[in-house]
Amino acid sequence: MEQFFQQLLNGLAVGGIYALVALGYTMVYGVLKLINFAHGDLFTIGAYLGLTLLVSCNLSGILGPAAAVLAVFVMVALLVALLGCLLERAAYRPLRKANRLSAVVSALGASIFFQNAVMLIYGARFYVYPDYLRPDFTVSLFGMAVPGVRLLVIAASVLLMLALWAFIQRTRTGAAIRAVAIDQGAARLMGINVNRVISLVFFIGPGLGGAAGLMVGIYYGQIDFTMGWSYGLKAFTAAILGGIGNIPGAMLGGLLLGVIEALAAGYIAIAWKDAIAFLVLILILIIRPTGILGERTADKL
Amino acid sequence: MALLELKGIRVRYGNVEALHGIDLSVEEGEIVTLLGANGAGKSTTLLTISGLVRPCAGDVLFDGRSLLRIPAHDVVRQGIAQSPEGRRVFGTMTVLENLRLGAFSVRDKDKCEKTLEWIFDLFPRLFERRDQLAGTLSGGEQQMLAIGRALMAQPRLLLLDEPSLGLAPLFVRSIFETVRNISASGVTVLLVEQNARAALKLASRGYVLEVGNVVMHDTAQNLLADPSVREAYLGG
Ligand SMILES: Nc1ncnc2c1ncn2[C@@H]1O[C@H](COP(=O)(O)OP(=O)(O)OP(=O)(O)O)[C@@H](O)[C@H]1O
Ligand SMILES: [Mg+2]
């Protein structure tokens, strides 16, 4: 029983990270119907940027580990968010009216560009987040000793998701994002500046992705320049699982994928966890091709 | 000076020209109707006014100022709202959310609430269904929502693209009655309709569009009496 709950919590932590990255894929897909293949690499950049700020810029020495991690969390999110906006301007906006394939090629190109840039700047080896950055307290929960960092990662991702959900559902700007995802022309008739909304989506998505990269660094302690590929694929899977374009779907898909993987790793074999995760994806897509929450209501014309 | 004036508007989709130089004007307070067969260019004309389609020649003047240099999303701030062809309500959002998006360009909150009340007066059905997803409304209710959403922008000029399309006769009558009320409250209306007879009874003037050209424009009375209009649009 204890093993089950530990795996469950571990799965929620990893799943929260998948969910944060998946949100970037799904939100961009929502407004542009484009898979931003460079999103995984923005996540990688978040992980490296975090390390640079914490260690090379010695923010953890200046502020102390806990405050530094918090400050860097915000800084990384903002910097990667700006990079996301820049990416949209440079690689996607000029191709907005071109055919879809051009944008896909541009996305792949941007992904290769970012991955190589990270490799050239940092080198092709893995990096280690120093141990002292990792909160090392444990919490006893129902008689189990749970690593504090696990709970913090869960809390951070859940908090970010709730904040995003409130923003999308409760604010005027959030409504504008939803409207642009449904019908850009009609949104413009309402007076919504579609370009500004798209920029905003390319700010929020990469911001969350970058923050997730930092969280991986702190949670696992190790990063490398190809991590965007594996996590990106998982997060993309999570977005499909929940229904691409659907925001709560990405959250649910991410958490679900994380938990399935962790349980598979715990009860079957670590080597099988990816295979089982994709098996679940295939099964769900056979039963519900639109993903779990995809297209809840059909639009009537 | 006319409230709205189109001068020699030409619109091209790719290599095909859809409008071949349209001249049209709407005076403040009028209801003007735009008639024409399928594919004549009526919707294109309305989309051009709203800035969603850009003409390759000509000018659109609103209150004497050209709209062509303004991005589409700012046209509504000038006072022009549109209920587009096919309604295009935001299906996965509620009725109330749709209406509030209609007021996206309006900063004055109190005025928004007043307009909302007025729209619920015009369409009590929308009030009953305010929390329902727009995509689950019936066609007629969606049409009410599209009109209400456009009115939320508190426009001086309302563009309506086939508000009666696909509606039962009883509904059609009530939509036309509502357009009359909207006009009486001081909103100028440019109405595109297949239902030519009803539109001409409501409007003061009308334009007839044929394959991208204005072939006739006159008072509604004269158009109703005109043999060729009767032949082509009023079923003889
Ligand atoms: N997006 C587009 N791309 C290419 N051609 C278009 C486009 N929209 C309209 N057209 C063409 O322009 C012409 C005018 O179309 P428009 O929709 O303005 O006609 P309409 O008078 O509104 O017709 P209806 O009564 O069927 O709504 C048609 O020949 C149509 O095929
Ligand atoms: Mg039309």
Side-chain angles (χ1 to χ4, degrees):
Chain A
M1 210 56 200
E2 156 136 21
Q3 192 205 356
F4 175 79
F5 279 111
Q6 291 286 12
Q7 288 299 350
L8 187 68
L9 286 174
N10 182 35
L12 287 175
V14 181
I17 289 167
Y18 289 160
L20 290 180
V21 182
L23 283 167
Y25 284 109
T26 231
M27 287 179 74
V28 165
Y29 184 85
V31 294
L32 283 187
K33 304 292 173 275
L34 167 82
I35 307 296
N36 176 15
F37 287 107
H39 186 61
D41 304 287
L42 291 169
F43 158 88
T44 309
I45 290 172
Y48 277 83
L49 217 52
L51 190 67
T52 300
L53 288 167
L54 284 164
V55 179
S56 308
C57 299
N58 196 29
L59 278 181
S60 66
I62 299 165
L63 298 171
V69 167
L70 208 63
V72 168
F73 195 76
V74 176
M75 287 162 74
V76 164
L78 287 177
L79 286 171
V80 178
L82 287 176
L83 195 59
C85 288
L86 226 69
L87 167 71
E88 190 265 327
R89 282 293 169 99
Y92 301 140
R93 191 168 299 186
L95 296 172
R96 192 83 58 76
K97 293 199 173 74
N99 74 43
R100 199 171 293 288
L101 210 54
S102 320
V104 171
V105 171
S106 189
L108 288 169
S111 168
I112 294 168
F113 172 81
F114 281 135
Q115 188 168 339
N116 281 286
V118 171
M119 193 184 72
L120 284 173
I121 294 169
Y122 289 93
R125 63 183 185 89
F126 67 81
Y127 277 80
V128 175
Y129 267 60
D131 265 349
Y132 59 81
L133 290 175
R134 198 169 204 257
D136 63 353
F137 63 95
T138 55
V139 177
S140 88
L141 211 66
F142 311 114
M144 299 181 296
V146 180
V149 64
R150 192 169 282 172
L151 296 178
L152 284 176
V153 165
I154 295 173
S157 53
V158 167
L159 225 64
L160 285 175
M161 285 191 265
L162 288 178
L164 179 70
W165 181 241
F167 173 71
I168 295 288
Q169 288 298 323
R170 299 257 177 268
T171 68
R172 192 176 102 94
T173 310
I177 293 177
R178 285 185 288 150
V180 168
I182 298 169
D183 183 340
Q184 289 197 8
R188 285 157 86 198
L189 286 179
M190 306 297 107
I192 295 167
N193 184 339
V194 170
N195 276 336
R196 194 178 297 167
V197 166
I198 290 172
S199 281
L200 182 64
V201 165
F202 270 93
F203 185 86
I204 297 173
L208 295 172
L214 176 73
M215 283 160 70
V216 165
I218 290 181
Y219 190 56
Y220 288 110
Q222 188 176 317
I223 61 177
D224 72 81
F225 73 100
T226 62
M227 64 192 276
W229 171 243
S230 49
Y231 277 87
L233 190 62
K234 285 289 170 54
F236 179 58
T237 304
I240 305 268
L241 191 63
I244 186 98
N246 185 296
I247 288 175
M251 300 177 181
L252 186 70
L255 291 172
L256 205 61
L257 193 67
V259 168
I260 292 168
E261 251 187 43
L263 293 180
Y267 286 98
I268 302 168
I270 291 219
W272 283 88
K273 76 175 174 95
D274 290 353
I276 287 166
F278 284 107
L279 189 70
V280 170
L281 175 75
I282 290 165
L283 285 180
I284 288 186
L285 289 186
I286 288 171
I287 301 163
R288 268 192 74 89
T290 55
I292 301 171
L293 297 182
E295 291 185 14
R296 278 171 304 177
T297 53
D299 282 277
K300 272 190 212 165
L301 269 183
Chain B
M1 185 180 58
L3 180 63
L4 176 78
E5 198 164 0
L6 270 58
K7 287 183 175 168
I9 289 294
R10 287 173 180 274
V11 170
R12 215 176 266 149
Y13 290 113
N15 291 324
V16 185
E17 196 171 79
L19 298 180
H20 311 300
I22 300 284
D23 295 300
L24 178 156
S25 71
V26 181
E27 301 290 330
E28 182 117 48
E30 274 190 307
I31 300 179
V32 172
T33 182
L34 192 54
L35 306 176
N38 294 121
K42 306 178 297 292
S43 300
T44 301
T45 305
L46 294 196
L47 291 175
T48 306
I49 297 168
S50 284
L52 258 58
V53 166
R54 291 296 177 181
C56 52
D59 206 353
V60 181
L61 301 175
F62 186 65
D63 233 1
R65 278 189 311 250
S66 173
L67 292 179
L68 294 186
R69 273 174 292 281
I70 306 179
H73 59 84
D74 279 335
V75 168
V76 62
R77 287 178 182 79
Q78 307 292 312
I80 302 178
Q82 178 169 174
S83 162
E85 178 166 46
R87 300 162 197 142
R88 294 172 79 168
V89 297
F90 299 109
T92 50
M93 301 170 86
T94 66
V95 167
L96 195 59
E97 284 176 321
N98 269 271
L99 291 172
R100 294 215 182 281
L101 274 171
F104 189 82
S105 59
V106 182
R107 284 290 171 180
D108 186 336
K109 277 225 155 147
D110 294 341
K111 255 180 127 181
C112 262
E113 293 310 308
K114 287 224 176 67
T115 317
L116 191 60
E117 269 172 43
W118 175 52
I119 287 163
F120 284 149
D121 274 351
L122 283 176
F123 304 110
R125 190 80 71 101
L126 291 184
F127 179 72
E128 291 163 25
R129 304 192 171 262
R130 62 192 177 281
D131 294 320
Q132 188 172 327
L133 292 185
T136 66
L137 296 176
S138 78
E141 291 162 347
Q142 286 192 9
Q143 190 58 62
M144 295 174 186
L145 179 56
I147 298 173
R149 187 180 66 174
L151 287 173
M152 282 299 288
Q154 301 163 18
R156 288 172 69 193
L157 173 64
L158 177 65
L159 309 176
L160 295 174
D161 199 339
E162 305 205 25
S164 74
L165 189 74
L167 303 188
L170 202 66
F171 244 98
V172 174
R173 209 167 310 144
S174 97
I175 289 275
F176 276 87
E177 201 46 52
T178 310
V179 173
R180 193 190 298 280
N181 287 336
I182 291 165
S183 166
S185 74
V187 180
T188 307
V189 177
L190 177 54
L191 171 69
V192 164
E193 258 300 330
Q194 296 277 349
N195 199 331
R197 189 183 303 277
L200 286 171
K201 280 187 178 151
L202 192 64
S204 55
R205 292 188 302 120
Y207 288 77
V208 178
L209 218 54
E210 257 168 37
V211 283
N213 289 298
V214 173
V215 292
M216 208 184 289
H217 66 106
D218 209 332
T219 62
Q221 272 175 335
N222 288 349
L223 288 175
L224 271 172
D226 187 280
S228 62
V229 172
R230 295 184 76 96
E231 171 78 23
Y233 302 104
L234 303 174

